[in-house]
Amino acid sequence: MTGPLIGRRSAASTAAIVLGLTSGGLTGAGAVRADDDIDTLSARQIADRSREALLSAHSMHLITRGDFDGRGTSTTVDLVLDRDGNCNGSLHLGRDRGAVRIVRRGDTVWLKPDAVFWKHQAPDVGEAFAAILASHYTKGSASDPRLRNLASTCDLDTFRKAISSNATTAKGTLTKGKKTTLGGASVIPLVRMDKGRKLTMYVAATGKPYPLRITATGGTPKANASMSFSAFDKPVPTATPSPEETFDIDEVPAQAT
């Protein structure tokens, strides 16, 4: 078995959503005093503070929905993840590609693709066998070539490194909006326009200036999506799948991987 359990294209597009928009979409470089009133700062300073707050988080709940790159594929990512390699959540890959439940504790990862995924990824396994696989998790090392594409997506350190390394790539005009509310929280919207695409980041106006939501609309090709952040520094659920509901990766037939 030499191929990845999760196809490289699907994993790469998911990683692009999680890593690409936040890293280069709205943030920039530059130091800001910790005691500044965020409402008095410029758009660039607020973006800088928001990036630094996001980088400081030990864990978070991340949800993305929609089509960020305008390719016509709507996906959903719903993950609670931390900097210790722990993660719990799900990925809906869009169209007829199915969905995957994922649990990760350090270097061990459990994946539970549904029957639709198996039929798309490995059509030769047959409906009955796909149903059997879909009722179990596949367990292995996060560094296993068959699992690491998706395992790396479910890693907050990977996310943080991408934000850090792409902090100066933002393009377009950044403007600051008037303070408003988002889900009961006081926020300051920052808007970046780039080639007809509108990126809006809502930054918490009280407490740590975390980004609470990012939306992307318009552009060519047309995007329509959102990304939200919450539950900062709260622990990732520790429960893992039982042995009875788990296949080891080496037990999965070659045609399915």
Side-chain angles (χ1 to χ4, degrees):
M1 292 181 288
T2 58
L5 175 63
I6 304 300
R8 185 173 298 275
R9 181 177 178 183
S10 295
S13 61
T14 301
I17 293 172
V18 177
L19 304 178
L21 181 63
T22 308
S23 60
L26 287 163
T27 59
V32 179
R33 289 172 49 191
D35 58 353
D36 282 329
D37 180 354
I38 191 172
D39 197 28
T40 67
L41 304 181
S42 68
R44 171 68 64 175
Q45 289 174 316
I46 295 172
D48 293 340
R49 287 194 66 181
S50 184
R51 176 172 62 88
E52 294 305 319
L54 194 62
L55 287 172
S56 73
H58 183 76
S59 62
M60 69 179 68
H61 186 187
L62 169 68
I63 300 176
T64 75
R65 293 188 175 93
D67 179 10
F68 279 100
D69 56 18
R71 295 181 180 179
T73 301
S74 181
T75 61
T76 300
V77 177
D78 187 340
L79 300 173
V80 180
L81 64 173
D82 68 21
R83 290 158 63 175
D84 296 325
N86 304 314
C87 179
N88 193 305
S90 62
L91 308 175
H92 293 262
L93 304 177
R95 292 182 179 173
D96 299 322
R97 297 180 182 179
V100 182
R101 282 283 307 161
I102 181 168
V103 177
R104 178 173 173 175
R105 300 299 296 179
D107 187 53
T108 303
V109 63
W110 294 258
L111 303 177
K112 189 178 182 182
D114 64 9
V116 175
F117 171 90
W118 282 119
K119 291 174 186 178
H120 178 270
Q121 179 76 8
D124 294 337
V125 302
E127 290 190 12
F129 193 60
I132 294 172
L133 290 174
S135 66
H136 289 73
Y137 285 85
T138 298
K139 176 185 177 182
S141 169
S143 59
D144 189 300
R146 296 161 292 185
L147 304 176
R148 65 187 177 196
N149 283 345
L150 190 53
S152 65
T153 302
C154 203
D155 185 340
L156 186 54
D157 267 344
T158 302
F159 182 56
R160 294 175 68 253
K161 289 175 184 176
I163 295 172
S164 297
S165 63
N166 291 284
T168 60
T169 63
K171 297 179 180 179
T173 303
L174 181 65
T175 58
K176 170 185 169 183
K178 293 183 179 179
K179 185 183 292 186
T180 184
T181 58
L182 178 69
S186 179
V187 294
I188 296 176
L190 302 179
V191 177
R192 185 181 295 281
M193 295 298 301
D194 183 23
K195 297 180 180 179
R197 181 162 297 172
K198 180 180 181 181
L199 300 177
T200 305
M201 180 164 69
Y202 298 89
V203 180
T206 59
K208 280 193 175 182
Y210 291 119
L212 301 183
R213 182 178 297 171
I214 297 173
T215 62
T217 57
T220 304
K222 188 175 180 180
N224 183 15
S226 67
M227 176 184 293
S228 64
F229 305 88
S230 62
F232 296 102
D233 295 328
K234 294 185 178 181
V236 175
T238 59
T240 58
S242 68
E244 292 75 22
E245 57 182 334
T246 302
F247 287 130
D248 187 272
I249 182 64
D250 292 326
E251 298 175 0
V252 179
Q255 63 265 36
T257 59

